[in-house]
Amino acid sequence: MLASSLRRGMRSSVTALRLQSKMQVRNYQAPMREIQFLMNEVNDFQEHYKKLEKTNGEQATPDMVDMILEEMAKFSENELAPLNEGADRVGCKQLGPNEVVTPPGFKEAYKNFIEGGWVGLSFPEEYGGQGLPQSLGLFQAELTATANWTWTMFPGLSKGAINTLISHGTDELKAKYLEKLVSGEWTGTMCLTEPQCGSDLGQVSTKAEPIGDGKYKITGTKIFISCGEHDFTDNILHCVLARLPDAPEGTKGISLFAVPKKTVNDDGSLGDLNKATIGRIEDKMGCHGSPTCEINFDNSIGELIG
């Protein structure tokens, strides 16, 4: 009897511990002492910032830097970290060809993030950013990424699209997309990989057919596209690798196109869906909070970046 009771008690204790472990939220504490040590003791960032005339280095005073880091630490600890484990358990749900629901709390956290102007922290003021040194943007991303990596992928992919347009986009493309991307009102992706080619982009087969007026019809399938569809914003700008009809074989024949989820009218308003649909969401271990998508472009309208 005693042995039987002990076994039942042990089973109950094990069950209780398992339930408790499932409900626990990972305790994340931003490594502020380490960051400040690196900034102030190992590297003299304040002297470095004083030399950065083109990126408002003079505005990155010790008080300003401390405020930025402290506020992002609070956001990462209090809003992002508690969402991390639950997001991987729940994952993203595809409800239709252009409808993906992100994990609970992700959309609200993104809304708070863009209301604080965090996307544009280190992007030029002419596009609505704050123009502060790039390293502050890296510190900000370090904090959010270590608190909740899959959430950080959403603004992270946008940064790639923004940097691409700033470096290679025409004035027309910059005027059309950058302010919306820098504010966070829209997000961006990078669409490179295809079913038949991963790192060997010389095998890209997505086609770009000129239709006049600087526009192209993009047709092909891209896979493993992080944050390819979601419920954060009304529009997503896909940066898509494709080939023009007379392009040479291999990587020399690849061009990059700006292909929005929804077309953008001349007045900046949104038009119709642009025939860029989601085939599936990949089951990516440890990355369920971010929708890794297969995207099918079917005569989607795009514009040449370069």
Side-chain angles (χ1 to χ4, degrees), residues 49-224:
Y49 286 154
K50 291 176 182 178
K51 302 173 185 178
L52 302 180
E53 298 179 0
K54 295 183 179 180
T55 53
N56 291 335
E58 74 282 354
Q59 294 185 23
T61 62
D63 288 343
M64 171 69 79
V65 171
D66 286 345
M67 181 188 71
I68 289 172
L69 294 178
E70 287 170 7
E71 289 303 312
M72 187 44 56
K74 291 177 185 177
F75 178 77
S76 299
E77 291 173 350
N78 300 328
E79 294 202 43
L80 295 186
L83 301 176
N84 190 44
E85 184 174 346
D88 198 55
R89 293 183 185 277
V90 175
C92 298
K93 308 297 183 186
Q94 182 184 358
L95 302 183
N98 289 105
E99 188 177 4
V100 170
V101 177
T102 53
F106 266 39
K107 183 178 180 179
E108 292 75 16
Y110 184 77
K111 181 175 181 291
N112 293 335
F113 186 75
I114 65 172
E115 285 179 351
W118 290 106
V119 176
L121 183 67
S122 296
F123 286 119
E125 291 176 287
E126 63 182 297
Y127 305 123
Q130 299 170 50
L132 290 169
Q134 290 288 329
S135 56
L136 286 178
L138 293 174
F139 286 127
Q140 169 226 298
E142 168 75 12
L143 290 168
T144 60
T146 49
N148 191 326
W149 172 253
T150 55
W151 182 93
T152 302
M153 293 176 73
F154 291 89
L157 268 294
S158 294
K159 288 181 179 180
I162 293 168
N163 286 326
T164 298
L165 287 177
I166 289 175
S167 299
H168 304 288
T170 63
D171 290 340
E172 291 76 16
L173 284 177
K174 291 175 181 178
K176 192 172 188 177
Y177 293 110
L178 277 178
E179 284 193 15
K180 300 285 189 180
L181 290 169
V182 170
S183 71
E185 185 176 344
W186 296 348
T187 61
T189 72
M190 303 299 288
C191 297
L192 315 179
T193 306
E194 297 182 4
Q196 77 285 354
C197 66
S199 58
D200 185 4
L201 295 177
Q203 298 185 48
V204 163
S205 62
T206 297
K207 298 177 181 179
E209 178 187 350
I211 57 174
D213 197 27
K215 292 183 171 57
Y216 300 79
K217 286 185 177 180
I218 310 298
T219 302
T221 296
K222 299 291 182 177
I223 61 172
F224 305 148

